[in-house]
Amino acid sequence: MKARKKIEESPRPAAPGAMPDRDELRRRTAEKAYGLYLRRDRAPGHDLEDWLEAERLVREEMAAPVQRSTGRQRSSLTH
C-alpha cells in the first residue's frame, strides 16, 4: 500500500478571481497615492497618510465584485 503525501496548504487563502502580485499591488497603490498627493495640491508631509489611504482604496477596489450584465442589453437607439 502506498502512503499518501500530506499536501501542505498555502499560507495565503485563495481569493476569488485573480489576485494581483505584489508588484502590481505596489504599482497600483503608488499611482493612487500620487493621485491623492496631487489632489492635496502637492502639499508635503502627508506621504504616509496618502500611501495608507491609497492601499485601503486599492484593496477595496480589488475586493469589489465584478459587475457583469446578464441577458441582452437594450439599445437606447430608436428608429
Side-chain angles (χ1 to χ4, degrees), residues 34-51:
Y34 185 68
L36 293 171
Y37 165 73
L38 293 177
R39 237 191 300 164
R40 196 189 298 280
D41 293 325
R42 299 179 176 161
H46 300 278
D47 50 333
L48 180 59
E49 180 182 344
D50 289 344
W51 186 269

Side-chain angles (χ1 to χ4, degrees), residues 6 9-10 15 18 22 28 35-36 38 45 47 51 58 68 79:
K6 183 180 176 183
E9 292 185 27
S10 157
R22 270 203 261 164
R28 289 172 63 178
L36 293 171
L38 293 177
D47 50 333
W51 186 269
V58 168
R68 293 189 180 168
H79 296 283

